[in-house]
Amino acid sequence: MASWVLSAFSDRSSVVMLTLYKSMVRSRLEYCCPVWNPTKISDIQKLDNVQRCFIRKIAGLRDMSYWDRLRKLNMMSLQRRRERYCIIQVWKIANGHAPNDVEMQFKD
């Protein structure tokens, strides 16, 4: 999907690229991530490389490091976003805002 977006759209401004990335690429990378969250470092790096390569194409950010680009764009790494979603999902289950289909037990 990322390669299609990059080939179909020639505008590399940050507004256009971020809108395309967040709506068409990142949504697919994060779909149901609390369920399939990767644990192997190589899998985590492969997923983050999609974001790393995509935001490198944004005009004016090519010479910055990955972490500087994220800071400039006010974004988090995909790994950090998945961790956040998992924490939110556990909180929802613990507080009865989401079903506990796996009957997860919480101790005080």
Side-chain angles (χ1 to χ4, degrees):
M1 182 57 70
S3 60
W4 177 81
V5 170
L6 291 170
S7 66
F9 295 89
S10 60
D11 187 355
R12 296 290 190 250
S13 67
S14 61
V15 173
V16 171
M17 292 289 282
L18 282 179
T19 302
L20 289 168
Y21 175 74
K22 289 176 180 178
S23 61
M24 301 184 82
V25 179
R26 188 171 71 183
S27 59
R28 291 177 185 257
L29 294 173
E30 293 181 338
Y31 180 73
C32 290
C33 68
V35 175
W36 61 264
N37 191 19
T39 55
K40 288 175 49 179
I41 301 243
S42 61
D43 293 339
I44 292 168
Q45 288 173 341
K46 285 178 188 175
L47 286 170
D48 261 341
N49 278 342
V50 174
Q51 177 169 287
R52 186 181 305 263
C53 292
F54 195 94
I55 65 172
R56 185 182 301 130
K57 308 289 186 196
I58 296 175
L61 301 179
R62 187 163 187 79
D63 296 329
M64 297 174 129
S65 73
Y66 175 59
W67 301 107
D68 289 339
R69 283 186 291 235
L70 289 178
R71 222 173 285 114
K72 173 98 170 148
L73 298 170
N74 196 25
M75 294 175 64
M76 292 186 277
S77 71
L78 291 176
Q79 178 184 6
R80 175 70 181 109
R81 289 177 59 86
R82 283 190 308 275
E83 290 168 354
R84 182 174 174 265
Y85 289 143
C86 289
I87 291 168
I88 290 169
Q89 186 64 29
V90 169
W91 181 88
K92 286 179 179 180
I93 291 170
N95 290 291
H97 298 291
N100 189 357
D101 295 336
V102 294
E103 298 180 17
M104 197 181 304
Q105 300 294 318
F106 298 97
K107 296 181 181 181
D108 291 328

